[in-house]
Amino acid sequence: MSDPFGDVGLGGRELDAVVGKFGRSLEAVGPVTAKDSTGAVAVTLDKEGRIASIVVGSQWTSHYSASTLVAGVTEAATIAATTRFEQFGQQFADDEAEPVRTPAPLLHETLSGQLAEIAQAGDAAETAATMEHIGSLLRELTEAIDVVSSQVDAMHAREFTSRSPGGHVKATMTGNGVLVDLTMDRAWLDRAHSTNVGREATQAIHAAYRKIADQDVSAILADSVIGKLDRLSRDPVALARELGLRGER
């Protein structure tokens, strides 16, 4: 028996090839360092695109004050991010690796096939009940998408504030990793070496990243109906039971 989802499978394999190319190109992009227009601030982004370090030059006070230094950091980070994106684009364009071709799965190896085999043991009444349950799950899924989207948007819009261990620098970032503000102790700045300014700024930002990580989006998904269906989709027998299919025990 042929798999009625064969066309979808072909599209899936093509998508896998693109995703693989995307992943290889992204992996090939290393850390990127860039300076602001004054040359007083240098920011290095790691392979994930997060701020790894900030270096503040000794003449930074000629260009910035304690309240405007964040502008220099943001400018340098933006230039680094643009450079990183350009590197990724070049890697993606140059990637000529042949996609890995895998044979289409047999019907009994697919989720739909396994469910169909399990459903064969059911009667008409059971099938009707199953279809009703599927409709209910789809309605729950539609509602969950809206709820989860709102929760993720709210998390991304939240601001997370942390201080460096020395307490002299405070960094504020949004939940999606955008640096909003760097606040520095003015009395400390008057005597601090520029190396320490960059170091504590980096520490404060990394502390904010850790707070953001505690609000993992994957946890929001896992606790939702979306997460439930994702787990069920990996276990045809559990999904069949959820749908009220008796099947074979």
Side-chain angles (χ1 to χ4, degrees):
M1 180 179 179
S2 63
D3 190 339
F5 297 100
D7 291 340
V8 175
L10 288 174
R13 289 195 297 280
E14 292 171 357
L15 179 60
D16 286 344
V18 174
V19 170
K21 184 176 180 179
F22 184 94
R24 289 192 301 274
S25 300
L26 194 59
E27 182 63 27
V29 177
V32 177
T33 299
K35 290 185 177 182
D36 70 321
S37 57
T38 72
V41 180
V43 172
T44 297
L45 304 182
D46 62 18
K47 288 179 67 67
E48 284 69 46
R50 304 193 319 171
I51 295 176
S53 66
I54 299 170
V55 176
V56 178
S58 59
Q59 301 301 317
W60 74 272
T61 53
S62 299
H63 307 283
Y64 299 106
S65 66
S67 60
T68 62
L69 181 58
V70 64
V73 174
T74 300
E75 181 185 1
T78 300
I79 295 172
T82 301
T83 302
R84 183 173 179 271
F85 181 77
E86 291 172 348
Q87 290 182 0
F88 165 78
Q90 189 61 54
Q91 289 287 345
F92 191 84
D94 293 343
D95 186 351
E96 297 179 352
E98 287 293 325
V100 177
R101 299 295 182 184
T102 56
L106 300 176
L107 179 59
H108 72 274
E109 294 175 341
T110 65
L111 176 60
S112 59
Q114 293 179 63
L115 280 176
E117 291 174 1
I118 294 172
Q120 288 176 357
D123 54 26
E126 184 178 67
T127 300
T130 296
M131 294 305 296
E132 176 61 29
H133 198 151
I134 289 175
S136 176
L137 284 176
L138 289 176
R139 288 190 292 273
E140 288 184 43
L141 178 60
T142 301
E143 295 173 359
I145 290 173
D146 292 336
V147 172
V148 169
S149 296
S150 296
Q151 291 176 332
V152 172
D153 288 344
M155 194 276 281
H156 283 171
R158 282 183 56 193
E159 292 188 352
F160 297 80
T161 299
S162 293
R163 288 186 176 274
S164 59
H168 303 120
V169 181
K170 181 175 66 175
T172 299
M173 306 183 78
T174 59
N176 57 356
V178 175
L179 180 63
V180 175
D181 190 30
L182 276 176
T183 303
M184 304 186 182
D185 182 277
R186 293 174 184 265
W188 170 74
L189 275 178
D190 288 340
R191 62 180 188 279
H193 191 279
S194 59
T195 299
N196 293 332
V197 174
R199 178 175 56 82
E200 290 215 25
T202 301
Q203 291 174 339
I205 288 174
H206 286 181
Y209 277 139
R210 288 192 292 272
K211 279 191 175 181
I212 294 171
D214 290 339
Q215 306 295 317
D216 193 354
V217 171
S218 61
I220 296 175
L221 292 173
D223 291 339
S224 71
V225 173
I226 297 174
K228 174 185 176 181
L229 292 179
D230 178 62
R231 291 187 292 274
L232 286 173
S233 71
R234 303 170 194 275
D235 186 344
V237 174
L239 180 55
R241 290 171 180 165
E242 174 70 21
L243 297 178
L245 297 172
R246 288 195 301 269
E248 295 181 4
R249 299 293 188 264

